[in-house]
Amino acid sequence: MEKRKKRKVDSECCQFNDEWNIKYFFVKANDKVLCLICKDSVAVLKEYNIRRHYESKHGSSYSHITGAERTKNFESFQHSLHSQQAFFSKKNSENETSTRASYKVAYVLAKKGKPFTDGSIIKECIVEAAGELCPEKVNLFKMISLGSNTVARRIEDLGGDIIRQIKEKAKRFCWYSLALDESTDVCDTSQLLVFVVLIVNLM
């Protein structure tokens, strides 16, 4: 006998119905179907699953609310969700910004040949200046991580990225030339200087 194909649960999914907003306090957000009351999501978009969640967890508290009052409850829950999403979006943006700032300071320290521990001094200066110029954003500047270990990791990351870029560009090298020289640092230690001229095939 020919085997019958198993019906996948996903194949039973349907489109989100806007009536479920007020009826069950559910919304569709970022490809998920969320309960506005408890912020849980349902795995399969079916009215049965949404209704079961609502009746088992929130029916006793909200089923008696109808009409304008129910609409008001829905709008209040929806506003709370949007505020929460905006908060986390802002936090993620602030974290990304402070990380970029940390890398830029580490880059300057490496370029100038300064000790990694100078990062903490720079941060203290930035926070003091921000306290005078824009006190409402002092906490944002305090988020910049510039401890010696962090600066060392940032510089390692930057160095690794340079090596990666060179390897990628090396695949298109047509010709290159090297020039070697010697210099000394502030401690009178000899340093090898390597100058590389590259001709890259852009085709």
Side-chain angles (χ1 to χ4, degrees), residues 180-199:
L180 308 181
D181 200 354
E182 181 183 347
S183 181
T184 56
D185 59 18
V186 292
C187 298
D188 203 33
T189 302
S190 296
Q191 301 285 342
L192 173 64
L193 303 179
V194 181
F195 300 90
V196 184
V197 178
L198 308 174
I199 300 177

Side-chain angles (χ1 to χ4, degrees), residues 1-202:
M1 294 179 61
E2 187 177 333
K3 291 184 179 180
R4 299 179 62 183
K5 292 183 179 180
K6 291 183 179 180
R7 184 175 59 182
K8 293 183 177 180
V9 177
D10 291 346
S11 66
E12 300 178 357
C13 293
C14 58
Q15 300 245 340
F16 185 83
N17 191 328
D18 291 338
E19 292 181 357
W20 301 341
N21 292 151
I22 305 297
K23 193 174 181 180
Y24 304 119
F25 293 122
F26 263 80
V27 294
K28 189 173 183 181
N30 298 326
D31 297 326
K32 289 185 178 181
V33 182
L34 296 176
C35 172
L36 290 175
I37 301 173
C38 65
K39 307 300 187 296
D40 281 351
S41 61
V42 295
V44 180
L45 203 171
K46 290 179 63 179
E47 184 175 10
Y48 169 78
N49 294 333
I50 293 173
R51 183 175 64 250
R52 183 177 62 180
H53 172 94
Y54 170 75
E55 291 178 349
S56 62
K57 293 190 175 183
H58 313 297
S60 59
S61 300
Y62 294 95
S63 291
H64 66 282
I65 301 175
T66 59
E69 185 180 358
R70 192 172 183 84
T71 301
K72 186 177 179 181
N73 272 261
F74 167 76
E75 292 173 348
S76 176
F77 290 139
Q78 190 175 43
H79 176 73
S80 175
L81 175 65
H82 290 164
S83 298
Q84 186 182 67
Q85 290 174 334
F87 173 79
F88 285 114
S89 176
K90 180 181 178 182
K91 277 297 180 184
N92 288 335
S93 177
E94 289 177 351
N95 289 337
E96 291 176 3
T97 301
S98 63
T99 299
R100 286 199 303 271
S102 177
Y103 272 103
K104 289 187 175 182
V105 173
Y107 170 74
V108 173
L109 290 173
K111 186 171 65 173
K112 299 297 183 181
K114 297 298 182 181
F116 299 161
T117 52
D118 282 3
S120 299
I121 300 174
I122 292 174
K123 179 177 179 177
E124 186 176 347
C125 293
I126 292 174
V127 171
E128 290 296 330
E132 295 296 326
L133 298 173
C134 47
E136 72 283 358
K137 294 186 177 181
V138 168
N139 289 333
L140 185 59
F141 288 98
K142 287 181 178 180
M143 291 173 60
I144 302 174
S145 183
L146 290 173
S148 57
N149 291 335
T150 300
V151 172
R153 288 197 303 271
R154 300 286 191 245
I155 293 174
E156 287 178 0
D157 291 343
L158 292 169
D161 184 62
I162 291 173
I163 293 174
R164 181 190 60 78
Q165 291 184 55
I166 292 175
K167 286 181 177 179
E168 287 296 317
K169 292 181 179 180
K171 297 175 183 178
R172 305 197 306 272
F173 288 174
C174 293
W175 301 277
Y176 65 91
S177 65
L178 298 176
L180 308 181
D181 200 354
E182 181 183 347
S183 181
T184 56
D185 59 18
V186 292
C187 298
D188 203 33
T189 302
S190 296
Q191 301 285 342
L192 173 64
L193 303 179
V194 181
F195 300 90
V196 184
V197 178
L198 308 174
I199 300 177
V200 180
N201 182 10
L202 299 178

